[in-house]
Amino acid sequence: MRITVIGTGYVGLVAGACLAEVGNDVVCLDVDARKIDMLLAGEMPIHEPGLEPLVARNVAAGRLHFTTDVAEAVRFGPLQLIAVGTPPDEDGSADLEHVVAAARSIGRFMDGHRVVVDKSTVPVGTADRVRRAIAAELAARDASLPFAVVSNPEFLKEGAAIEDFMRPDRIVIGTDDEEAARTMRALYAPFQRNRERLIFMDVRSAELTKYAANAMLATRISFMNELANLAERVGADIELVRRGIGADPRIGYHFLYPGAGYGGSCFPKDVKALVRTGLDTGLSLEVLAAVERVNDAQKRVVLRKIVQRFGENLVGRRFAVWGLAFKPGTDDMREAPSRVLIDGLLARGAAVSAYDPAAMAVARQIFGGTIAFADAPLAALDSADALAIMTEWKEFRSPDFGELRARLRAPVVFDGRNLYEPADLAREGIEYFPVGRSQPPGARSHA
């Protein structure tokens, strides 16, 4: 199958490479010449485990191609996947500028039947806008060519995107066109050999499904964060509470980990967009508005603990930060809780030394020379008054606590991801501030 993927960001590049891996001939189009130059040179514009060898293998096999030539790309594939960014607009709605521009390009250059697939996360009604944009361009050319618009939202987790694409738990297809449905079934046949994963529905339901999924997961996170804050006040341990409620099969354990709030390119943007969609229809989505408020506040929980421990004036203090990406397995710092912490520390006069195994280059673009960067986790601790953990990378889970204690000016750890057991750090003589965890007697005493 010949496929054109419009956009070489997170969704587009992963989708293009995975579709080429199963034998399709794929052209990835991007108007950003810098990205295409990087890809042609074998460099990845994003960090995703396993992506670089996957791309290299399929380029070498002649199945994966990259171009900035819009006309060439549109004419190449009867199947056109739109996978461009939909950043939040000022009012919280999804900015569809790039989606509509892609649709116009398809209408301008298509030379035969096209199945146009919305892979980008888009609000309900976007397929109608895409359909109108293509039709308008065809009318301007005085051309009459058949096409169908399909909603096929992605459900990829950053850090596990290739696994998610190659072994999906479900594939949502929104279409009312029988030929397009057959095309989509053929496209995904290699990914569902052991069981049926396709879920067909109308276009608007498919568009809403993506937002609903992310909003549900965000709701679970904010709910647990509120419970964690309550647990601290009543002397309970949120980890034990998590185990107790997660054992109920109706609830389960997924996304029940409290911490410093969620970030990234999906949850914050999609919750905002869904709230905005509700308002546009005259409906106030109160639960989701609360989810967003709780998360905004939770991003400041580690900073609040630091201020409670060291005071509002942090001039002369130095803090080590482990973890900058919003989650492990990625270099994505969009809406990352670490940014809120670091901005708050700098605003109070503190110095910061940070380490992240993947996001250092991105962090340098964001913070420039306002913070220091260490080349290893323990090196970030030198001369620091305390350590703050903001991302649950595996390499942070079992550090040398003796070395950690020796390098810090005072053995104080603020853990925004609850990586350690309070009793273990108390035995190590380390003052420990997790989120929602009960403390052994005397564990927080300090001069």
Side-chain angles (χ1 to χ4, degrees):
M1 191 177 293
R2 286 183 294 119
I3 303 167
T4 295
V5 180
I6 303 175
T8 60
Y10 185 79
V11 175
L13 187 54
V14 170
C18 289
L19 289 170
E21 178 75 358
V22 297
N24 294 293
D25 198 4
V26 180
V27 166
C28 290
L29 165 70
D30 206 300
V31 295
D32 186 339
R34 181 189 63 84
K35 279 187 179 180
I36 296 300
D37 289 343
M38 288 180 66
L39 289 163
L40 291 173
E43 302 172 8
M44 297 298 104
I46 60 174
H47 175 87
E48 179 62 34
L51 182 60
E52 186 171 353
L54 181 67
V55 168
R57 183 166 62 249
N58 283 282
V59 168
R63 293 189 297 265
L64 183 59
H65 319 272
F66 302 103
T67 185
T68 57
D69 188 326
V70 177
E72 174 193 2
V74 171
R75 290 172 183 143
F76 175 80
L79 192 60
Q80 302 270 317
L81 273 58
I82 298 178
V84 296
T86 53
D89 219 333
E90 290 183 3
D91 62 357
S93 61
D95 185 346
L96 297 178
E97 173 187 359
H98 302 302
V99 172
V100 173
R104 286 175 179 151
S105 294
I106 293 170
R108 193 173 301 130
F109 296 111
M110 60 187 282
D111 57 0
H113 180 265
R114 292 291 182 273
V115 175
V116 180
V117 181
D118 283 334
K119 290 294 291 182
S120 302
T121 300
V122 294
V124 175
T126 298
D128 294 336
R129 292 188 61 178
V130 168
R131 193 176 290 108
R132 288 195 297 269
I134 295 172
E137 291 295 334
L138 288 172
R141 294 167 49 194
D142 198 22
S144 179
L145 296 170
F147 68 94
V149 178
V150 175
S151 175
N152 174 215
E154 54 83 17
F155 297 96
L156 307 179
K157 298 186 295 291
E158 291 192 40
I162 294 171
E163 176 72 14
D164 287 345
F165 197 101
M166 301 299 287
R167 296 177 176 84
D169 48 20
R170 81 282 205 197
I171 303 167
V172 173
I173 308 291
T175 183
D176 56 4
D177 184 288
E178 290 186 5
E179 184 177 351
R182 286 193 295 270
T183 299
M184 298 303 291
R185 185 175 288 280
L187 175 69
Y188 283 112
F191 304 99
Q192 53 167 4
R193 291 180 63 84
N194 66 339
R195 67 175 176 87
E196 176 73 17
R197 291 175 168 85
L198 289 174
I199 304 174
F200 283 95
M201 58 184 71
D202 63 276
V203 172
R204 287 184 170 239
S205 295
E207 290 171 333
L208 183 57
T209 296
K210 167 64 176 184
Y211 278 117
N214 279 352
M216 172 61 78
L217 297 176
T219 299
R220 287 170 70 96
I221 294 171
S222 282
F223 175 75
M224 285 304 292
N225 282 334
E226 284 221 300
L227 283 186
N229 296 336
L230 177 62
E232 288 187 3
R233 296 199 174 199
V234 301
D237 186 337
I238 194 61
E239 172 60 16
L240 300 179
V241 174
R242 182 189 71 81
R243 295 178 197 173
I245 65 175
D248 186 331
R250 296 170 301 173
I251 298 173
Y253 292 103
H254 293 298
F255 286 83
L256 289 187
Y257 292 91
Y262 60 76
S265 63
C266 293
F267 288 6
K269 172 176 68 72
D270 294 352
V271 170
K272 286 184 173 69
L274 199 50
V275 169
R276 183 70 247 177
T277 297
L279 292 175
D280 289 344
T281 65
L283 179 65
S284 179
L285 301 179
E286 300 294 342
V287 171
L288 292 185
V291 167
E292 186 177 6
R293 288 196 304 271
V294 168
N295 190 61
D296 288 343
Q298 198 69 14
K299 287 183 178 182
R300 297 188 290 274
V301 68
V302 175
L303 179 64
R304 187 165 63 246
K305 291 174 182 288
I306 289 173
V307 169
Q308 289 171 349
R309 170 61 175 82
F310 289 100
E312 188 72 33
N313 184 353
L314 299 177
V315 174
R317 299 283 189 182
R318 184 180 186 87
F319 294 90
V321 176
W322 283 2
L324 298 168
F326 85 94
K327 62 178 280 188
T330 181
D331 63 351
D332 194 343
M333 288 187 63
R334 286 173 288 185
E335 301 277 352
S338 65
R339 299 179 64 165
V340 176
L341 171 65
I342 292 172
D343 286 343
L345 293 174
L346 295 177
R348 289 163 175 80
V352 174
S353 177
Y355 170 78
D356 187 285
M360 300 284 266
V362 175
R364 285 189 174 95
Q365 294 175 0
I366 294 170
F367 293 109
T370 61
I371 68 174
F373 296 95
D375 57 7
L378 291 176
L381 305 178
D382 292 337
S383 301
D385 291 279
L387 165 66
I389 301 172
M390 299 303 291
T391 313
E392 62 273 31
W393 288 98
K394 289 182 180 178
E395 65 186 271
F396 301 155
R397 293 182 181 180
S398 185
D400 183 333
F401 288 115
E403 185 71 15
L404 185 151
R405 185 176 60 247
R407 290 190 181 228
L408 290 172
R409 287 180 184 170
V412 183
V413 174
F414 298 90
D415 188 353
R417 298 302 173 190
N418 287 356
L419 295 186
Y420 314 126
E421 284 297 322
D424 292 343
L425 268 70
R427 282 191 295 269
E428 295 283 350
I430 296 173
E431 195 178 338
Y432 185 51
F433 293 84
V435 178
R437 305 289 314 266
S438 58
Q439 300 291 297
R444 289 192 179 174
S445 61
H446 59 269

